[in-house]
Amino acid sequence: MLSRDDVRRIAELARIEVPEEGLAAVQHDLNGIFGLVERMRAVDTAGVEPMAHAVDLTQRLREDKVTDTDQHELFQACAPQVEDGLYLVPKVIE
Amino acid sequence: MTWEIVIGLETHAQLSTASKIFSGASTAFGAAPNTQASAVDLALPGVLPVLNRGAVERAIRFGLAVGGAIAPRSVFARKNYFYPDLPKGYQISQYEAPVVTGGEVAIVVDGEERRVRLTRAHLEEDAGKSLHEDFHGMSGIDLNRAGTPLLEIVTEPDMRSAREAVAYAKALHSLVRWIGICDGNMQEGSFRCDANVSVRRPGAPLGTRCEIKNLNSFRFLEKAIEFEARRQVELIEDGGTVRQETRLWDAQKGETRPMRSKEDAHDYRYFPDPDLLPLAITPASMEAVRATLPELPAAMRARFVEAYGLPPADATTLTASRALADFYEAVVRHAGGEPRACANWVLGELSALLNRLEVEADASPVGPAALAGLVRRVLDGTVSGKAAKDVFAAMAAGEGEADAIIEAKGLRQVSDAGAIEALVGQVLAANAKLVEDYRAGKEKAFNALVGQVMKASQGKANPAQASAILKAKLG
């Protein structure tokens, strides 16, 4: 079962803002989902290879060729702020 | 009590494909910002990644070259974190099923060969670049690098000193260039190392490790590991404990310092990427790649020792890069044999020249055929070893081929017995004191007399011949 703190942490990792008064409802919903997961976990899967994709196919590869051309002006037309070809974002420094 | 340093390395080698790992944008270095960022690289809605065959082939090449296992089926996963130079909010990487597992890289430290075991090598995409200079208090984002194919190569904690770690990094750097999967340009970030460092008492379980990031030169790698190991030992000896953390190398201060990051920054919540089906590598496609692999450095080194009779240290140096090894073999071919004399020239004068010019052997101003021409003239006695160095310098300066320079500069060695005898006669007559010393048992006097003969011949007398004639005359 997820605690209130688990919910806060998951929200933080996903960058989703959950107001304090909404925590209980989200906790309740997530625990409902975890309940379903727990029921599935009860199935014996020993010897079953984990599934990596819902479709039982393997991927086709692309030849190593440059096929995309410069469209930065088009792409940047919808960016909030651009300078010298760079996208500007709130300052982040680690 | 002594401490043992335990090191494992994670290396990101940028694969030398023309286009990105999941899009058709160019990977060329140095383009204007965002001109090589496609809709896929920008994570615009509705786009899907399509894997580049060239990146897969390069990963297979690496796996075969290190003797690792190539996974017949590998899986791409999403590594989730938020940073503005990663527009999707996740990096496509491989987690539980990497393309290469195991393998090893041979290193030579203090003349002894050791093997560093690899854990895995997996394909992933690079992130973009954040520029923190002043853009009105904002950061600038260039996504040209986003989606560039990387092979992350992870070792077991097998290294026990900074020097071993550097030897491994150099061997790996040489190998990825040798098999043509990465240009190895460290200034441009094509080959970057992170080091996991811990210390322990010999025989004790592994200590807590710190990961040092941002090591883009072999010198920084060595210094950062040395600093970090010392820091951990001092910390423990003062009664403290090492905290597992990520640290940055500060080249200006010559120290590592903790990276400011949140506690949960490393909760990446990997899961298989639903946009990408599993990657299948058939035995046939693996064999097709194997057929294009060149002779590997370790095999070539062994062949140089066995077939050419070279000392192992020389064979190691000659196979440090494929350009140098190919150059050496071409010299031997043009010289019609004489592998040891050729090795001495390639490792001596030629390497000094290449170092001075800071170029690889394939950009040498003196080509293999030209060098072989000079080696032949030394071996057949046309020029002395000393004069040959002057000839080489002239060749390096673009003055022409060995034979032309020897003639133009009058460097042809005098091997005419009559001419040398005449010179010896003059020298003996003019140096009575030296002759007397020699007869009194002073060996050094003999060398001085040989020197005088060489001087009288303006360096052109065959020294072996001059020495023999002198000895005969002195009785």
Side-chain angles (χ1 to χ4, degrees), chain B residues 158-436:
Chain B
D158 274 2
M159 289 152 281
R160 294 291 176 270
S161 69
R163 287 181 56 219
E164 278 189 9
V166 170
Y168 162 78
K170 285 186 173 171
L172 184 68
H173 184 251
S174 162
L175 181 68
V176 296
R177 287 186 304 153
W178 192 286
I179 60 175
I181 65 167
C182 169
D183 68 17
N185 189 323
M186 296 176 86
Q187 280 81 41
E188 294 176 4
S190 300
F191 189 89
R192 332 194 270 269
C193 292
D194 299 339
N196 284 299
V197 180
S198 64
V199 298
R200 66 173 173 186
R201 298 294 189 190
L206 287 174
T208 304
R209 66 170 195 265
C210 289
E211 182 182 13
I212 317 167
K213 287 204 176 283
N214 259 10
L215 300 168
N216 60 359
S217 85
F218 297 126
R219 203 167 57 88
F220 291 166
L221 176 65
E222 184 165 16
K223 285 179 176 277
I225 291 171
E226 281 169 356
F227 175 90
E228 180 59 20
R230 207 163 46 239
R231 183 188 75 86
Q232 292 182 13
V233 166
E234 280 168 13
L235 189 62
I236 296 168
E237 286 183 342
D238 289 347
T241 49
V242 176
R243 212 167 47 130
Q244 183 167 342
E245 63 189 357
T246 303
R247 301 176 69 88
L248 283 176
W249 170 247
D250 184 328
Q252 256 89 49
K253 292 186 181 152
E255 60 180 37
T256 66
R257 58 179 159 80
M259 223 164 104
R260 265 189 300 133
S261 57
K262 298 207 176 90
E263 283 162 43
D264 54 18
H266 288 295
D267 193 341
Y268 291 129
R269 295 151 292 144
Y270 284 96
F271 65 89
D273 190 336
D275 285 348
L276 288 157
L277 290 161
L279 166 65
I281 296 173
T282 62
S285 61
M286 209 164 83
E287 289 317 311
V289 173
R290 195 195 299 277
T292 65
L293 269 185
E295 183 182 22
L296 296 172
M300 197 181 263
R301 186 164 61 232
R303 182 165 61 79
F304 282 4
V305 172
E306 199 164 305
Y308 293 160
L310 299 185
D314 288 359
T316 301
T317 313
L318 285 171
T319 52
S321 84
R322 193 166 158 195
L324 191 66
D326 287 348
F327 188 98
Y328 167 65
E329 292 231 271
V331 176
V332 174
R333 207 162 50 240
H334 286 290
E338 303 294 347
R340 295 197 69 149
C342 292
N344 289 339
W345 275 93
V346 171
L347 293 173
E349 298 300 303
L350 184 89
S351 292
L353 174 70
L354 298 178
N355 282 341
R356 203 162 58 239
L357 299 178
E358 295 180 359
V359 295
E360 290 269 350
D362 51 11
S364 171
V366 178
L371 182 57
L374 176 60
V375 173
R376 272 203 307 269
R377 290 296 161 259
V378 177
L379 292 170
D380 69 14
T382 305
V383 283
S384 68
K386 190 171 170 299
K389 291 188 178 177
D390 297 335
V391 178
F392 182 84
M395 289 165 71
E399 292 176 30
E401 299 273 309
D403 286 340
I405 293 166
I406 292 166
E407 291 314 319
K409 293 189 182 285
L411 292 170
R412 182 176 282 277
Q413 181 163 256
V414 176
S415 298
D416 170 7
I420 297 177
E421 264 181 47
L423 286 172
V424 168
Q426 288 168 24
V427 167
L428 289 179
N431 294 278
K433 174 82 171 73
L434 284 172
V435 174
E436 203 176 298

Side-chain angles (χ1 to χ4, degrees), chain B residues 98-122:
Chain B
V99 63
V100 176
T101 314
E104 55 185 27
V105 172
I107 60 169
V108 180
V109 180
D110 296 332
E112 264 182 60
E113 184 171 306
R114 284 210 42 226
R115 277 155 200 286
V116 174
R117 290 169 302 155
L118 300 182
T119 312
R120 59 188 276 157
H122 66 254

